[in-house]
Amino acid sequence: MVGRESGQVRLRVVMDTKTTTLEKHVHQFTLSDCHVYTDEYDSYNGIERERSTVAHGIKEWARDDDDGSRECHTNTAEGMLTGLRNFLRPFRGMHKKYLSGYVAVHECRVNLKHDENHTSKLLAPVSKIRKQEMEAV
C-alpha cells in the first residue's frame, strides 16, 4: 500500500492473496475513512473502505471519477513495486524465508526518503565516522 498524500508505504510478504489476507492488511494500515484505489481483483471486494477501481482486464489503467479531485489509478503502487524489484535484483535469489527482511529494508528506505529529519538523524553517525576517518588520514 502507498499513501497518496504521505508517500508512506506498507509492504508485507503474504502467503496468499485471498480476501481475508488482503482485508486484514488494508484494515490494519488504513484509517476507516480513507479512500482505497485498486484494480478489479475479486479479493479486494470485501474491503470495508470507500473504494474506486480500474479494470485492467479491459485495458483500463486510469480513470477520472469526475469528482474534480480523484483520479483512479494504481500506477503509484505498481511503480513502487517496480522499485522493490529493482532493489531485490542485485541479491539474485535470496531464500524465501529472508524475503520479508529485504522487503522491510526497502519499505524503510522509501519511508525515510519522505522524511528528511529521520534521514539526517540516520546518517549522522555515518557522517561522524567519515569525518574521523578523513581527519586520521
Side-chain angles (χ1 to χ4, degrees):
M1 281 189 302
V2 181
R4 282 212 173 167
E5 292 179 20
S6 68
Q8 296 288 299
V9 300
R10 297 295 177 264
L11 302 174
R12 298 297 179 270
V13 176
V14 295
M15 298 305 292
D16 60 67
T17 57
K18 294 178 182 170
T19 301
T20 54
T21 305
L22 297 181
E23 281 178 18
K24 180 181 174 187
H25 185 70
V26 171
H27 293 156
Q28 180 179 357
F29 293 109
T30 62
L31 299 173
S32 59
D33 63 344
C34 83
H35 195 103
V36 177
Y37 299 90
T38 70
D39 59 17
E40 73 280 3
Y41 189 53
D42 286 340
S43 291
Y44 293 122
N45 290 339
I47 295 173
E48 297 171 1
R49 304 286 188 263
E50 187 176 350
R51 179 172 163 235
S52 297
T53 63
V54 290
H56 290 333
I58 59 169
K59 302 198 183 302
E60 178 184 56
W61 312 116
R63 182 180 61 256
D64 185 1
D65 289 338
D66 292 329
D67 64 359
S69 65
R70 286 200 168 93
E71 182 177 312
C72 183
H73 65 80
T74 57
N75 298 339
T76 307
E78 291 168 7
M80 188 270 314
L81 291 174
T82 298
L84 173 61
R85 208 170 28 250
N86 290 338
F87 171 72
L88 295 174
R89 187 170 288 124
F91 301 109
R92 297 190 188 268
M94 80 282 305
H95 192 281
K96 65 183 175 184
K97 81 177 190 180
Y98 301 117
L99 178 60
S100 61
Y102 286 93
V103 170
V105 169
H106 181 68
E107 176 184 336
C108 183
R109 290 174 64 221
V110 172
N111 290 336
L112 285 175
K113 179 173 69 174
H114 296 286
D115 187 346
E116 294 175 15
N117 293 332
H118 278 61
T119 304
S120 61
K121 288 177 188 173
L122 190 69
L123 294 177
V126 174
S127 298
K128 185 176 180 180
I129 292 168
R130 284 288 220 193
K131 185 177 178 182
Q132 290 171 351
E133 288 175 353
M134 295 304 285
E135 290 172 354
V137 173

